[in-house]
Amino acid sequence: MGNVEYYKKQIIDLRERVKREQESKKRDNETYARLIKGASSSSSKASYKKSKIDHAASHDRAIASLKDAIARAQYSLAQARRK
């Protein structure tokens, strides 16, 4: 039964990390939106837009990776329960 508890805790921890990553993405998007709105030149505005897209994509990749890890942990939990 030790493995079952381990996987349950791992799933909870991973879900918390997904939530933190989503909040971080939201904060970054708000920050870049402010920077874009306040940009004085079109080149700095374009640079901020590119950074915003790059950072959002990075957050999305991290979230997808964490969700994959959750799926693996859920599979392992199911395997551990069968034993």
Side-chain angles (χ1 to χ4, degrees):
M1 274 314 253
N3 271 352
V4 171
E5 295 306 315
Y6 168 78
Y7 290 120
K8 283 182 181 179
K9 182 183 179 324
Q10 186 180 30
I11 291 167
I12 291 168
D13 291 345
L14 288 166
R15 285 181 178 151
E16 186 60 35
R17 287 174 59 192
V18 168
K19 199 178 299 183
R20 281 197 308 266
E21 191 68 34
Q22 288 169 334
E23 290 166 359
S24 180
K25 178 183 176 183
K26 184 178 176 186
R27 271 194 313 276
D28 280 358
N29 279 343
E30 290 168 353
T31 299
Y32 279 107
R34 273 195 307 279
L35 289 169
I36 291 165
K37 191 173 183 180
S40 56
S41 70
S42 60
S43 64
S44 63
K45 187 176 274 197
S47 175
Y48 288 139
K49 284 181 180 179
K50 184 184 179 324
S51 291
K52 181 181 178 185
I53 291 167
D54 290 345
H55 280 86
S58 175
H59 286 298
D60 288 341
R61 284 190 301 275
I63 290 167
S65 174
L66 289 167
K67 286 182 176 180
D68 288 345
I70 290 170
R72 286 191 303 274
Q74 287 172 332
Y75 176 78
S76 297
L77 175 61
Q79 294 296 93
R81 283 185 172 151
R82 286 194 196 115
K83 290 182 181 176

